[in-house]
Amino acid sequence: MRVVDLDRDMSDVIPTGLTPDSEFLFDQMTQITLDSTGARPGTRVLDVASGVGQDSLALAARGASVIGAEPSQRMTGMAQLFVAEREGPHPLWVRGWADDLPFKEGSFDACICKGAMDHFDSPERAIAEMARVTREDGVVVLAIANFESLACRAGRALDDFRQDVLRLKPLRERRGYDAPSDHFTRYEIDLIREQASASLRIQSIEGVSLGWGMPGWSKTMARLPKNVADGAVRTMGRLGRLWPQLSDVIVLVGKPRRSASTSR
Ligand SMILES: C[S@@+](CC[C@H](N)C(=O)[O-])C[C@H]1O[C@@H](n2cnc3c(N)ncnc32)[C@H](O)[C@@H]1O
């Protein structure tokens, strides 16, 4: 039996009041992922695990023909409501699992999967499927949260110190460096590189943002004058690009490998 919550929505994931560091992280993650597709009029793009559909819609607004594939009827229902209020070209929605995509080999110029790989019960099969449905010189773009980021390492070190030396409780009940209960995989740079390289020839690995979730960071950014906070998160963002292994989010771009195991 497949243990996936098909009724989930994003209310526990998407922060409501955005602080400058969250704003920077979510904007950059989205922009870099979408830009990497090369979406423009005439291109075909697949958004795997499209959720509430905001990325599919943004890609369609760039002129691409977009399909959002999503197993959760509830998420797709929210996506339909979300796009119904918006003008311009709309994506198509298809119900489908990432590891069994209902498309022929080479159907798309680009395929994205943003913020979802850690929810998949067979992520390697999902990457192989994304490689299969993307044409040989197209791109597959995978964006994942890095659970070995600087912020995760700092949070864990601080909690260890509090518990082992000061005999105090961890700072927060939900420790940001532990994968949430609805994640199957706790991603970091080596793992995504290893999983992706079985089906993709990796073109780039980019780090997005640095320090998000570090103890006290968000509160400090929210208290600073907006221009100072924006400058600080941008500077940290530049460091995240230099050290993707420490960044908050990793965006991997690869081209499909064609082999017996990636065709069917
Ligand atoms: C955190 S949301 C991300 C949605 C969207 N990509 C975004 O960036 O907002 C994760 C999504 O993965 C979907 N999902 C979970 N398991 C899946 C699977 N095996 N195949 C495809 N999608 C899956 C969930 O229904 C959910 O919509």
Side-chain angles (χ1 to χ4, degrees), residues 158-170 175:
L158 185 62
D159 279 349
D160 286 351
F161 178 75
R162 286 172 62 86
Q163 276 176 292
D164 301 344
V165 180
L166 305 178
R167 307 276 166 216
L168 293 171
K169 281 192 197 160
R175 304 180 306 183

Side-chain angles (χ1 to χ4, degrees), residues 110-180:
C111 179
I112 65 164
C113 183
K114 176 175 143 274
M117 294 270 307
D118 33 24
H119 294 265
F120 299 172
D121 50 357
S122 35
E124 282 146 305
R125 183 70 221 144
I127 301 172
E129 275 293 87
M130 291 185 238
R132 181 184 66 79
V133 302
T134 303
R135 65 180 171 82
E136 201 167 349
D137 57 347
V139 285
V140 175
V141 185
L142 308 173
I144 50 110
N146 178 16
F147 281 88
E148 283 299 329
S149 65
L150 178 69
C152 288
R153 292 172 198 224
R156 190 169 48 220
L158 185 62
D159 279 349
D160 286 351
F161 178 75
R162 286 172 62 86
Q163 276 176 292
D164 301 344
V165 180
L166 305 178
R167 307 276 166 216
L168 293 171
K169 281 192 197 160
L171 270 181
R172 286 168 290 189
E173 197 108 314
R174 164 137 146 58
R175 304 180 306 183
Y177 48 87
D178 286 338

Side-chain angles (χ1 to χ4, degrees), residues 2 4 8 10 49-51 54-55 70-72 75 97-98 114-116 119-120:
R2 230 177 164 143
V4 178
R8 77 187 296 279
M10 299 281 285
S50 46
Q54 78 286 0
D55 296 327
E70 171 54 58
S72 159
M75 289 296 229
W97 297 100
K114 176 175 143 274
H119 294 265
F120 299 172

Side-chain angles (χ1 to χ4, degrees), residues 197-220:
S197 48
S199 307
L200 302 172
R201 286 176 284 119
I202 297 174
Q203 308 291 296
S204 63
I205 294 185
E206 197 162 330
V208 182
S209 156
L210 191 80
W212 189 81
M214 207 144 60
W217 179 244
S218 233
K219 276 189 190 148
T220 310

Side-chain angles (χ1 to χ4, degrees), residues 42-111:
T43 56
R44 294 156 304 160
V45 183
L46 176 66
D47 180 5
V48 172
S50 46
V52 296
Q54 78 286 0
D55 296 327
S56 302
L57 188 68
L59 289 164
R62 296 181 184 202
S65 302
V66 183
I67 297 184
E70 171 54 58
S72 159
Q73 235 160 1
R74 186 165 179 201
M75 289 296 229
T76 305
M78 287 163 79
Q80 279 160 339
L81 281 179
F82 177 68
V83 301
E85 294 162 6
R86 279 151 177 97
E87 305 252 312
H90 286 178
L92 288 177
W93 310 111
V94 166
R95 195 153 191 218
W97 297 100
D99 51 89
D100 190 15
L101 293 168
F103 305 103
K104 287 195 188 130
E105 182 174 322
S107 300
F108 298 94
D109 300 297
C111 179

